Amino acid sequence: MRTTTRFITLLAFAITLAACGEANVATDDAIDPVRDDSRDYPQGLTVLDFKADSSLRVAFAKDDRVIIMEALRGRSTPAEYKSDPSVPRFEVDARITDKQGRLLYLRRGGDDFVDPTWADDLLWQDNMLPPQEGNFQLFEMIAEASNLIERELANQGGADSVASVLPEIKALKNFGVKAPEAFIASESAIADRLEGMSPEELIREAGGGGTDGPEDAQKYLGSGWYFIAVHRKSISFTFGTGDHSATRIHKYAGPGSFTYFDFCNHGTCAGDMGEKCRLTMINKPAWTAMTCSTEYNTWSNSGGHNCHDDTRVQMAAFVYGPVMARNQYWCNDGDSSVDLSGGFEQGGSPDCNDGTDTGYNHPSMLNYWATNTNSAQQNTTNYTVVLSANATYTISTCGASGDTYLRLKNSSGTQVAYNDDGCGLQSAMTYTPSVTGTYTINAGCFSSNTCYGKIHVKLVSSSSTPPATWYSATNTNSALQNTSNFYQYFYAGYTYTISTCGSTATDTYLRLYNGSNTQVAYNDDACSVQSTIVFPVTATGTYIVKAGCYSSGTCDGVVSITSAVTPPSDPITYEEAVPVRDLPAY
């Protein structure tokens, strides 16, 4: 099927208005972008709205399916980052929905949405019926549309139109061109968990559930089955070098259905960085994935925060539920010894663990002092946390001062766990709820003693994991047996580089197969004893990367996969008119 692009009203009129900075491609009717849209769109790409230097909204129809893609430009990224050409120049929000308004992807560039109604629309999502079928085909459409936007917009409106919304186009393409790959990776991540489960168990696992706690009043992401991944990269900025971090939240919405949420935290988004670690999928009630509301500060000093603070706040919200405000702890902790800021405090980026140095526990979070509590039965300090069914938690005061005592009660006030001396004179209890809900921690001291300390909550089912494409193998006969296999969705017109270079000192071997399991490329020693395959794709589809070791040896490594557009044999008109080097930075 040939896909096309058209504007609903004359583009010439829109371009005329663009000179005033308010270019629009008007819609036929004032229809809310995330409500059920009953219009019949023409096949292919339709530009619904266009504002120069501001926003872009398109629809893409294929057969009887429709997706809506839109992006809004926010404020400039922090000035310190602008010396690094790999960092976006603006904080751009983006979202992609199906025709009924169900979210497929949501990205927030800064601390708040450019359009505050986007937050309201997240609440509306909770009232929608779950999808009746898997949505992989929609993610394939996202990739197809992403590869059309720039070229077709240039064909219709010229290079100036493309240049004026290049940040918005790239915000959509950042996720879009790899959307099927993200979907396949998510399916792979849950395959073992789903195996052998009945439909009833699957619904219970994926469904989540509401709570009667304070989170209920400020739901941000609807109930479901989630995991949160921390992504990071090294960057250069005004004051030197450091790390940038951001998060991607994966929501499992039922068999074959996923939604993705990116938090860019003032810089590069997760889709353009490697995954460092993740907190594994658990059954969650509705929850708030917060970021700080204080001002940006590179060093996370005074009353400001940086990207790593946002990342840690998001992980804490994932584990604890609503235990903090957006101006507390990492968001407003002055010159703290646990700050992560380019090596001037601590270097590096956040880890997916319960530590206070780089993890999701802040030293000042859940601190208490108590006396004469009759072993945590009176005069206690009480904290509420939202715990998810079938996830395992350890709640402890290890490292506190004095003889502590902990009790855990459910929303009905019934005690479900307690501990006295789990670690010396301090307390540690492990609990796996059978019901999702708000639980209360009663923190006290043994007998009538006095004690003080900090309560740690650790999600035991979470872990700091290697990247998803890390592997370890032995006796693979040069990647012909006993290999680690990675399934990737590749697009015609792109050249993919598949490599283990720089990730290991061992002797690796790579082979690439197409969907028919026919070998199409292989490599042994492209960089010392590591391997690199450079493969121009001529047929879109699923490919298999088989990672192994030379001969019968043992090896390990990370398989990195990057892509670039294959240079066309015939130059594209708008690229000749406005060379890429002359397009404005974003």
Side-chain angles (χ1 to χ4, degrees), residues 283-305:
N283 176 24
K284 283 198 66 61
W287 64 294
T288 300
M290 294 186 297
T291 51
C292 298
S293 61
T294 54
E295 289 300 313
Y296 180 84
N297 184 285
T298 304
W299 315 126
S300 184
N301 289 341
S302 302
H305 74 279

Side-chain angles (χ1 to χ4, degrees), residues 214-215 279 282 284-285 287-288 290 312-324 329-330 353-356 359-363 365-367 383-388 393-396 437-439 441 454-459:
E215 187 177 67
L279 301 178
I282 60 172
K284 283 198 66 61
W287 64 294
T288 300
M290 294 186 297
R312 294 167 87 173
V313 166
Q314 289 150 20
M315 287 194 291
F318 184 83
V319 174
Y320 284 98
V323 298
M324 62 178 288
Y329 306 126
W330 298 281
N353 61 40
D354 66 325
T356 55
Y360 54 76
N361 270 292
H362 190 275
M365 186 182 290
L366 304 191
N367 288 338
Y383 293 103
T384 58
V385 291
V386 176
L387 304 182
S388 300
Y393 300 84
T394 295
I395 302 171
S396 75
T438 300
Y439 291 74
I441 302 170
K454 170 181 170 53
I455 302 169
H456 282 259
V457 176
K458 179 181 181 180
L459 179 62

Side-chain angles (χ1 to χ4, degrees), residues 18-42:
C20 302
E22 293 295 334
N24 283 279
V25 178
T27 55
D28 293 331
D29 301 292
I31 296 180
D32 192 315
V34 293
R35 300 297 189 264
D36 193 352
D37 191 341
S38 59
R39 282 180 294 177
D40 291 326
Y41 290 101

Side-chain angles (χ1 to χ4, degrees), residues 471-484 500 504 506-511 523-525 529 531 546-557:
Y471 77 98
S472 177
T474 190
N475 191 29
T476 68
N477 189 21
S478 296
L480 292 171
Q481 63 187 30
N482 304 324
T483 54
S484 293
T500 59
T504 178
T506 58
D507 195 348
T508 64
Y509 207 109
L510 293 175
R511 296 182 186 272
N523 183 260
D524 179 18
D525 295 331
V529 293
S531 311
K546 296 189 177 182
C549 319
Y550 174 72
S551 187
S552 59
T554 297
C555 67
D556 60 58

